[in-house]
Amino acid sequence: MENPLLLFPQLNISASKDKSYYKVMKSAIKEEPHKASKPGAKQKRNRLSLLLQKPEFHEGDHAGKPGNLTKAASVSPEEAVKWGESFDKLLSEKAGLDAFTKFLKTEFSEENIEFWMACEDYKKSKTAHELLPKAKAIFETFIEKDAPKEVNLDFHTKEVTSRNIGQPLLTTFDAAQNTVYRLMEQDSYPRFLRSDPYLSLVKGRHPGHPTLRRRSRSFTVNDFQGVRPDFTVW
């Protein structure tokens, strides 16, 4: 039988070269699908979490824990009353922002306040180098079609924001943030002030134990006129 190396001289390579060849091929095979794949919803959320490490993004995720109830109950009636003066006043107070975020979680619309907070953090960027990755993360998480936490924006605002993502400025999300702000101010904020947990805080009582209710993620101000939401423990 003839030596196979004479029949196929291309196989006449050393073992070390052979290993190196397959190592390169293996790396190339792994790398190619990675380049072609598009980040999924989970990856987008992870990217936003890494870029926007804000404590308030994670507070209230476990509404049933005793610590949250104690924290909410520790708010004085006088402080809670001030939250009713204006929506700006509510968001400017750390405890007020936490309470409002928990309220939106009961309505499954927390994406609105999370987007607003992400925009506030974005505008605090100190260098142009920070803007592009943060802008892309916010856009992919909250604005683009079928984003994991898509907020309700009109077509014009979404288009203007989309065009500016390539070369973002500190003002890139201003129009979108203002739209979501007005939506919360006109729709969610009045219901928050009428909610049993908030009224309990104003009267100095412990909040009760209401239940959750699922609703559609996309909504407009007129969709919920006169509707009274349910609530979880604060």
Side-chain angles (χ1 to χ4, degrees), residues 13 55 71 91 114 116 123 134 159 167 180:
I13 55 178
K71 184 175 181 180
L91 298 186
E114 288 179 1
W116 183 85
K123 289 187 291 187
K134 281 189 175 184
E159 283 295 303
Q167 295 180 323
V180 172

Side-chain angles (χ1 to χ4, degrees), residues 42-177:
K42 185 176 181 180
Q43 290 173 297
K44 293 173 183 176
R45 287 194 297 269
N46 289 340
R47 185 189 301 175
L48 181 69
S49 298
L50 290 174
L51 290 172
L52 306 177
Q53 292 293 339
K54 301 291 288 181
E56 53 265 36
F57 272 79
H58 309 288
E59 293 177 358
D61 287 342
H62 307 286
K65 287 190 174 182
N68 290 310
L69 176 60
T70 303
K71 184 175 181 180
S74 66
V75 175
S76 69
E78 292 77 16
E79 183 179 2
V81 168
K82 290 181 180 179
W83 299 348
E85 294 177 1
S86 69
F87 190 45
D88 278 337
K89 182 66 176 178
L90 173 69
L91 298 186
S92 67
E93 299 286 341
K94 181 64 168 60
L97 178 60
D98 290 343
F100 186 64
T101 299
K102 292 180 177 68
F103 169 76
L104 292 184
K105 285 179 181 291
T106 69
E107 298 194 324
F108 298 92
S109 60
E110 66 270 18
E111 70 276 2
N112 292 317
I113 193 64
E114 288 179 1
F115 171 67
W116 183 85
M117 288 190 289
C119 291
E120 288 295 289
D121 177 76
Y122 173 82
K123 289 187 291 187
K124 295 176 184 176
S125 301
K126 296 180 180 180
T127 65
H129 182 70
E130 297 179 53
L131 295 182
L132 185 57
K134 281 189 175 184
K136 287 185 176 179
I138 293 174
F139 180 77
E140 292 174 356
T141 304
F142 296 105
I143 297 180
E144 74 176 357
K145 184 179 180 181
D146 297 325
K149 294 188 175 184
E150 185 177 2
V151 293
N152 189 34
L153 298 173
D154 60 272
F155 177 80
H156 176 71
T157 300
K158 181 173 289 191
E159 283 295 303
V160 170
T161 306
S162 301
R163 288 198 300 267
N164 295 331
I165 291 299
Q167 295 180 323
L169 303 172
L170 286 176
T171 57
T172 292
F173 295 103
D174 282 1
Q177 186 185 19

